Amino acid sequence: MGKTKDSEVEERAKWDNKFQYMLTCIGFAVGLGNIWRFPYLCQIYGGGAFLIPYLIALVFEGIPLLYLELAIGQRLRMGSIGVWNSISPMLGGIGIASMIVSFLVAIFYNTILAWVLWYFFHSFQNPLPWSQCPVNANLTGYNEECVKSTPANYFWYRETLNITPDIETSGSLQWWLVICLASAWCVVYICFIRGIKSIGKAVYVTTTFPYLVLTIFLIRALTLPGSTDGLVYLFTPDWEILKNPQVWLDAATQIFFSLSVAFGGLIAFSSYNEERNNCERDAVVVGVINSATSLYASISIFAILGFKATNGLNSCRNENIMSLTNHFEFSEQNITLENYNDWFEYLNRTSPDDLASLNLKHCDLHTFLDQSASGTGLAFIVITEAVIEMPGSQIWAILFFVMIFSLGLSSMFGTIEGVLTSINDLKLVPKWIPSEVVTAIVCLIAFLTALIFTLGSGNYWVEVFNGYVGSVPLLIIAFFEVTAVAYCRGMKTFSEDIYFMTGKRPSIFWKACWMVISPLMLLMVFVAYVAIQAQTHPSYPSWDPDYELFPQTKMLKYPDWVFAIIILLCVLSVISIPVVALYKLICCSIKKSSARGELNPYCNDSFEVETREQRARHLKERCRSTSKKGHHDHRHCFCGTCI
């Protein structure tokens, strides 16, 4: 006897315990952006002032969307595609879009982990390879490109990426990156080999270890000279900057992306929960911990940046002290770092012409603190430079890169789960094929696709995927998700779902967010983002040793063919939403017309007449009754219309 649909739902895998589930959701939400994107936004947007738009976006956009995904996944106990198909077959494209975006994000995200592995392997060397320049090919001096820039820049751009001067010059595959990329995908596969059973074990390490390392870094950083200057810089608010609309746009965008909504991973994770579970509390806890982690990481990062800025200030002043000592023929140790300002003011009063003729460097702490960096620039250049100055630099480098790898790996769990669960929902693979084989095939395809990122131009393509695949498509998907639940499943039905799971109905705040505030915020962010992007042709920073302003990066515009690929990636990610809806409408029209053609005008067995209004009422009642059971019969209603 075949299994019923209900029996399949009952046999769905479950978490070993609630703690596993929470760690997995927190690990998925807390990712690399919390470490290298949030501190950067605080740095360029007025320090503590940025927290105001950020918290507003968290309350009215981030947590409501997170709550919605956790609730709908837990209630219907399906993956992303199954959930939206269950609400209405016309919405099945939302799940497919989430699957495509998850796959595209996974291939470039794991490339970053491959770079982290490369740095991790080199962190055992003494001295660290990015602490000094290598000799040139003739063994007559140091490498010219390294001397013109810095050892950290040279190790990143040349030794790691072997980067080409522009995106049109592809270069060759870098074998060391291919090996690191294969290693990164092997680690992901091992963690996924038994599904949520193996993931649940891995998150005990991957989610908790970064907090341990952050705490160790914070304690160590606070003992370094200049750390307090970095913290003062972080928390000193610049209220005027709140008048800039870009601040609010970036705050809304950051909270949306940092919570990892719209990928389908959170829906999949919550579907393995018990049906009766307080998903409201889960959403609030995950959202608050995610934002608290961003702030906690910023304290550690800015303490280290303060230390690095102080070292830069001291180096600048030491050069000036050497010039002053030689010019005025002072004895050594006459001018020191401690009395530098006093001597400078004295000489400026007594010998202003001589002082001006020296062309001394302008040494200001805020100038060094203002040298902002985000993303790979923060992780692989700024922090690595700071680590060199710390005693026991190898240990700190190892800890830092293990932490970054753990953060990225826990985020990969949700991203890949969004793909694997969707494949299962679509029934693309026969049931007799073991899940381990399916996971291996997905990882292999992802690895082969990601080889483009190991080319000399690979870093430029990572920026393309990061800037466009993981932005606009997710906003569109999230908008359709919240409107689908609020208006197609219906707020009354969804409230009953939550009452069944938590024992209480959602408050007016949650309903207002789902029905009005969150969709409007998503729409505003989307329109503003597109408007800003449309004002200028997309450009990217390139590393070109022949550039006249080298070591500054050279800003280049994307070629037309690359711009076409960007448009294609954005469209490909979400095209399934209208295509599936249109396909279902056409199928529905064909079925209706064929049903009319099959009517027998001579048959009148029942003598019953049902008006159009009565039939619509009966269909709506059937929709409500089936939705309370947690699933739909694929012929049921879409926003009140039977399909």
Side-chain angles (χ1 to χ4, degrees), residues 166-462:
D166 56 68
I167 196 171
E168 293 186 276
T169 307
S170 297
S172 59
L173 291 175
Q174 314 303 319
W175 63 267
W176 56 91
L177 292 182
V178 174
I179 293 174
C180 290
L181 183 65
S183 301
W185 277 110
C186 285
V187 172
V188 171
Y189 174 70
I190 291 170
C191 293
F192 264 93
I193 198 164
R194 292 184 59 215
I196 66 167
K197 294 295 182 184
S198 52
I199 294 174
K201 302 297 186 296
V203 292
Y204 286 117
V205 176
T206 60
T207 301
T208 57
F209 184 74
Y211 290 97
L212 174 63
V213 176
L214 278 176
T215 303
I216 295 172
F217 260 94
L218 178 60
I219 294 171
R220 180 67 184 98
L222 291 177
T223 64
L224 297 172
S227 60
T228 53
D229 295 319
L231 296 181
V232 169
Y233 183 85
L234 169 63
F235 288 109
T236 301
D238 179 9
W239 302 113
E240 287 296 317
I241 207 163
L242 293 179
K243 297 177 182 178
N244 183 359
Q246 185 69 38
V247 179
W248 296 83
L249 173 62
D250 283 346
T253 305
Q254 172 63 18
I255 193 62
F256 173 77
F257 297 134
S258 69
L259 286 173
S260 301
V261 293
F263 282 96
L266 290 169
I267 293 177
F269 286 151
S270 63
S271 71
Y272 302 123
N273 261 341
E274 298 286 348
E275 276 192 295
R276 297 186 183 275
N277 171 64
N278 193 338
C279 48
E280 177 182 351
R281 182 178 57 202
D282 296 344
V284 173
V285 169
V286 172
V288 170
I289 289 179
N290 174 74
S291 298
T293 303
S294 297
L295 186 59
Y296 190 54
S298 297
I299 295 173
S300 301
I301 295 296
F302 270 86
I304 295 173
L305 292 180
F307 164 69
K308 182 176 181 295
T310 300
N311 282 346
L313 176 68
N314 291 340
S315 298
C316 178
R317 287 183 171 181
N318 280 328
E319 291 183 21
N320 288 350
I321 289 172
M322 182 67 68
S323 299
L324 291 171
T325 300
N326 292 336
H327 181 80
F328 290 100
E329 298 182 350
F330 293 139
S331 61
E332 291 187 12
Q333 303 302 320
N334 202 358
I335 305 177
T336 63
L337 291 173
E338 288 74 20
N339 62 18
Y340 173 83
N341 287 332
D342 296 333
W343 269 104
F344 188 86
E345 291 176 5
Y346 170 75
L347 294 173
N348 197 33
R349 289 196 309 269
T350 58
S351 308
D353 294 335
D354 288 344
L355 195 64
S357 66
L358 293 177
N359 294 321
L360 298 176
K361 291 184 177 180
H362 177 68
C363 302
D364 180 63
L365 181 63
H366 275 270
T367 302
F368 291 98
L369 287 171
D370 284 337
Q371 292 174 357
S372 57
S374 67
T376 54
L378 178 66
F380 298 116
I381 298 176
V382 176
I383 297 298
T384 53
E385 287 179 334
V387 164
I388 295 170
E389 307 294 335
M390 299 168 67
S393 55
Q394 286 80 15
I395 296 174
W396 298 110
I398 291 168
L399 283 176
F400 177 73
F401 289 113
V402 171
M403 177 191 71
I404 294 294
F405 189 82
S406 297
L407 282 170
L409 186 60
S410 58
S411 295
M412 280 294 295
F413 292 160
T415 309
I416 295 297
E417 182 65 24
V419 176
L420 294 175
T421 309
S422 298
I423 291 175
N424 184 55
D425 289 344
L426 287 172
K427 296 179 174 58
L428 295 177
V429 180
K431 289 185 177 181
W432 56 266
I433 298 180
S435 60
E436 294 85 354
V437 175
V438 176
T439 304
I441 293 172
V442 170
C443 289
L444 179 61
I445 293 173
F447 164 71
L448 295 175
T449 309
L451 287 177
I452 185 178
F453 303 126
T454 64
L455 295 169
S457 60
N459 184 57
Y460 302 132
W461 287 108
V462 168

Side-chain angles (χ1 to χ4, degrees), residues 101 253 256-257 465-476 529 570:
V101 170
T253 305
F256 173 77
F257 297 134
F465 275 68
N466 184 38
Y468 297 98
V469 174
S471 56
V472 174
L474 290 174
L475 289 170
I476 296 173
Y529 184 89
C570 292

Side-chain angles (χ1 to χ4, degrees), residues 538-554:
S539 59
Y540 65 100
S542 68
W543 182 261
D544 186 2
D546 296 328
Y547 180 44
E548 57 270 17
L549 299 179
F550 185 80
Q552 295 182 27
T553 54
K554 183 180 181 181

Side-chain angles (χ1 to χ4, degrees), residues 580-613:
V580 170
L582 185 62
Y583 172 75
K584 293 296 182 180
L585 278 175
I586 293 173
C587 290
C588 179
S589 300
I590 293 173
K591 285 181 180 179
K592 285 182 178 179
S593 58
S594 61
R596 289 194 201 99
E598 291 172 2
L599 289 177
N600 187 345
Y602 302 104
C603 180
N604 193 13
D605 293 334
S606 63
F607 296 97
E608 290 183 2
V609 178
E610 182 180 43
T611 66
R612 185 175 181 179
E613 291 77 8

